[in-house]
Amino acid sequence: MAEDNKWVKPNRLTEIIAHQIIPVVIGDVLSPNLELLNGGYYQDGFEELQEGDTIWEVSVTSRTGLDKEQTGLSYFPTEDAAREYLKAMPIGLTYGEHYGYPKRLKDLFGSVDDPCRIMTAMFRRCDDDDVHSVCYRALSEAGVIDKGDYKTSSRVLEWLGDEHIAWMKEKFGENWSAVARFEYCLNHFPDSSLASLAAHLFLFQFVTYDDFAAGYYTKEIQSIAGGTEEAAILAKETRVKAGKAGARSSRHRRLQNLELLMQQIEQLSGAVEFVSEERIVEQALEKTVEKHEDFPKTQKTHADYGTALRSVEPFKSRYEAVFRKNA
């Protein structure tokens, strides 16, 4: 039996701690393309859709053992299909003690030309703040690469000019485009912008092969994109006002309380279509106070927390994701 064999028994279980449904556009940056959607991994029903059509993305956040939270994405052709899927994935569900994958690999990838790419999307493990996803989005939103295919944009090519592009291809070979994007960002954006940092990272990874420099930029991008930098600045301002004594514990307690409140709001996200934003926040505060006796109870502090959730990362983006349908 598996439970009697230490080599094959489950060592950690996985718990679902959050989920949400949002509309996305086929072919948009960081959304799946038609080949992936029709590759057999996701639900059927995408055959009649085209790039530019709206589909529904379901994100399920889970934690295995004591690991960092991870989010898996699934896509559905209709909102009804997405909501039906979530019925089997309620928050609090624990799984991982059984084995047995429901399909053979040939059934999934037998008709696909490039199964490796789909297998990567299907079985890969990575952090939610995967640095390459941040980089591609930064460069696409900055107009340096095209959304969808990630090719160097016409704006960058026109700025470089044919003669300069020819020189880059001669000097840097197949990796010339990484150098082109780097030079464009170097001349157009601040060094600390996410677009410039992304261009630096790709230069060191794919052109100069400098692992040390690439590691430095990876850490910086993750810090900024994840909100750590802004949270640190906010904490510094708080320490100046309150004095250095006790500031560290005060900062930790505030961020912890904001996280508790944000988690409660996310758990109430299913009611967004039926209840006002103000009422959901009020109910989240009520439940948080009820569950945690040390949570502040004054209206002034509650108002301050509400402002912080709406304006300070890493909470701002999570707050907006909950109430996006009301925007």
Side-chain angles (χ1 to χ4, degrees), residues 230-275:
E230 190 168 352
I233 293 173
L234 178 64
K236 181 179 179 181
E237 294 174 348
T238 302
R239 286 198 299 271
V240 170
K241 294 178 181 178
K244 293 184 178 180
R248 180 173 297 179
S249 61
S250 176
R251 168 187 176 275
H252 176 76
R253 185 166 56 252
R254 173 184 168 82
L255 291 177
Q256 186 178 51
N257 288 338
L258 287 171
E259 177 62 28
L260 291 173
L261 179 56
M262 189 66 247
Q263 288 182 9
Q264 194 62 56
I265 290 174
E266 288 171 335
Q267 290 183 24
L268 296 171
S269 61
V272 168
E273 297 181 10
F274 312 103
V275 184

Side-chain angles (χ1 to χ4, degrees), residues 16 35 39 46 48 54 67 74 108 121 149 155 160 170 197-198 200 219 245 259-261 275-276 288 290 293 298 300:
I16 296 176
E35 179 186 1
F46 298 103
E48 303 299 323
T54 297
D67 279 355
S74 299
L108 287 173
D149 60 11
R155 176 195 304 178
L160 290 169
E170 178 185 353
L197 294 174
H200 276 79
K219 182 178 180 181
E259 177 62 28
L260 291 173
L261 179 56
V275 184
S276 69
T288 307
E290 179 181 337
E293 60 180 20
T298 66
K300 181 179 179 181

Side-chain angles (χ1 to χ4, degrees), residues 20-24 43 46 49 54-58 74-87 269-270 272-274 325:
Q20 69 172 351
I21 300 175
I22 62 171
V24 297
Q43 178 177 339
F46 298 103
L49 299 179
T54 297
I55 56 176
W56 297 88
E57 176 186 278
V58 174
S74 299
Y75 295 92
F76 299 86
T78 66
E79 184 177 6
D80 288 342
R83 295 196 178 280
E84 187 66 27
Y85 171 79
L86 273 190
K87 288 182 180 180
S269 61
V272 168
E273 297 181 10
F274 312 103
K325 289 185 178 181

